[in-house]
Amino acid sequence: MARGIKGQNKAGDYESFSLDAKKLPAEIRDRAFTSGGYPYDSKFDREDYDKRIHELQIELLKLHAWTRDTGARIVIVFEGRDASGKGGTIARFLQHMPPRTARAVALSKPSEAEQGQWYFQRYVSAMPTRGDIVLFDRSWYNRAAVEPVNGFCTKDQCKAFLKEAPTFERMLIRDGIYLFKIFLDVGHEMQLKRLWARHQDPLKLWKLSPIDFKAVHQWPAYSRAFSRMFKKTDTDDAPWTVILANDKLRTRIAALQIVLSRIDYAGKDTELVGHPDLKIVGDGRLFIDRY
């Protein structure tokens, strides 16, 4: 994939910011959409989006039918910063697909028994059987960022994971699994705006966890952890694709295009699928250049 994505994504100085603030500070509100060097200054047109997502979801159903007919197995890993839009993007993938054969996996923290197992074991049990599609809402990559940043694993455990993950993924691919790794990145101000909005909305409070509250002031630590993750796990066999996700509508379209454009399924409308927007989509190595 072309490198794409330009600009920097430096953290602002918001040490005193709290999600309990009654009003979102004007500097965060005004900078949010274009934060992190986002290349657009306005949202994707809603009418155009509705038409485009409808077209791409029809293509997804073609992909699903091909998967069932051929016995293919597809795994799509979604990682990214807190409030980057992973859940909403996954929902658009699954909106019209049969839930028995296309499903999301969002594992909670490991049980005591799971903590005594091989780290990848509980993820292996969630892999698809013939004809199924599985989307991971966070994945084994918890050990690359969330766990080390929050002290849930040791440095040695993180180091071992980063060494073993590429081998684990090569095993999946050699066994015939189509593996996609998609990372959603947002600017610092956009992340703060979204986290604050969740905290203010009683219908979205469930989305917030103690980890999210801590993330408000952990931007540099996460940036370092993600950069290290990309250096070690962005491989030729299983490359990362990064989407700048400040605009949720553009993000969802790009994510669908990433998957649809890389598989030659029956009945594919190549012209309609098109190619992801290289202003907001790039390869994993590019993340490192942004921080």
Side-chain angles (χ1 to χ4, degrees):
M1 174 178 288
R3 288 180 65 83
I5 305 180
K6 298 181 182 297
Q8 297 293 310
N9 199 0
K10 303 298 184 181
D13 183 11
Y14 301 112
E15 286 299 317
S16 61
F17 174 72
S18 170
L19 296 184
D20 293 318
K22 293 183 178 180
K23 290 185 177 181
L24 185 68
E27 60 181 334
I28 294 177
R29 183 191 65 233
D30 295 343
R31 297 175 183 174
F33 194 81
T34 57
S35 60
Y38 196 69
Y40 294 100
D41 57 13
S42 62
K43 294 181 179 180
F44 196 80
D45 181 79
R46 170 60 73 166
E47 201 171 310
D48 291 342
Y49 165 79
D50 289 339
K51 178 178 182 295
R52 193 76 181 100
I53 207 75
H54 177 73
E55 294 171 339
L56 293 173
Q57 286 176 331
I58 291 174
E59 289 297 311
L60 274 177
L61 288 175
K62 294 180 185 178
L63 172 63
H64 178 268
W66 171 84
T67 303
R68 298 296 294 164
D69 290 343
T70 62
R73 292 168 291 161
I74 299 175
V75 171
I76 309 171
V77 169
F78 281 91
E79 289 289 343
R81 293 191 185 271
D82 293 298
S84 59
K86 296 180 292 297
T89 302
I90 290 171
R92 272 59 188 185
F93 269 86
L94 299 177
Q95 189 171 7
H96 300 292
M97 288 205 282
R100 290 185 179 180
T101 52
R103 66 186 186 278
V105 173
L107 300 181
S108 58
K109 71 176 185 178
S111 65
E112 185 174 347
E114 288 171 332
Q115 291 177 30
Q117 298 172 347
W118 177 46
Y119 177 76
F120 295 97
Q121 188 165 333
R122 67 189 192 129
Y123 297 102
V124 169
S125 64
M127 290 295 162
T129 189
R130 287 175 54 86
D132 284 6
I133 300 173
V134 170
L135 298 89
F136 283 91
D137 187 350
R138 292 199 184 278
S139 66
W140 46 94
Y141 280 101
N142 277 335
R143 179 141 291 182
V146 173
E147 290 188 18
V149 168
N150 291 281
F152 299 152
C153 72
T154 67
K155 290 183 178 180
D156 285 344
Q157 286 174 322
C158 180
K159 183 178 180 180
F161 166 81
L162 292 172
K163 182 179 179 179
E164 294 165 0
T167 301
F168 171 67
E169 290 164 3
R170 279 194 292 272
M171 291 170 61
L172 298 179
I173 294 166
R174 288 172 183 168
D175 198 52
I177 287 177
Y178 290 84
L179 176 63
F180 296 85
K181 300 191 303 187
I182 298 175
F183 186 94
L184 306 187
D185 194 20
V186 291
H188 193 205
E189 286 85 354
M190 178 55 80
Q191 183 190 58
L192 296 178
K193 178 182 177 181
R194 289 181 181 175
L195 290 173
W196 179 85
R198 287 181 183 179
H199 191 44
Q200 310 308 309
D201 187 345
L203 297 178
K204 294 183 178 180
L205 272 175
W206 64 271
K207 290 187 174 184
L208 285 174
S209 69
I211 295 294
D212 294 313
F213 280 89
K214 293 176 65 176
V216 170
H217 303 297
Q218 292 176 320
W219 181 274
Y222 272 107
S223 296
R224 290 191 295 270
F226 289 136
S227 292
R228 181 173 61 244
M229 177 187 81
F230 282 116
K231 288 178 181 177
K232 298 294 185 179
T233 66
D234 185 34
T235 65
D236 292 337
D237 294 310
W240 280 100
T241 303
V242 177
I243 305 176
L244 301 191
N246 285 13
D247 181 359
K248 293 180 180 181
L249 304 188
R250 287 186 173 92
T251 299
R252 294 164 186 172
I253 290 171
L256 268 64
Q257 287 179 308
I258 287 165
V259 175
L260 292 170
S261 64
R262 296 184 191 174
I263 298 181
D264 292 326
Y265 52 90
K268 179 177 179 177
D269 188 331
T270 303
E271 185 175 347
L272 186 149
V273 169
H275 299 283
D277 181 356
L278 293 182
K279 289 185 178 180
I280 63 168
V281 176
D283 61 40
R285 296 178 182 86
L286 191 61
F287 181 96
I288 301 167
D289 298 338
R290 287 170 48 77
Y291 295 94

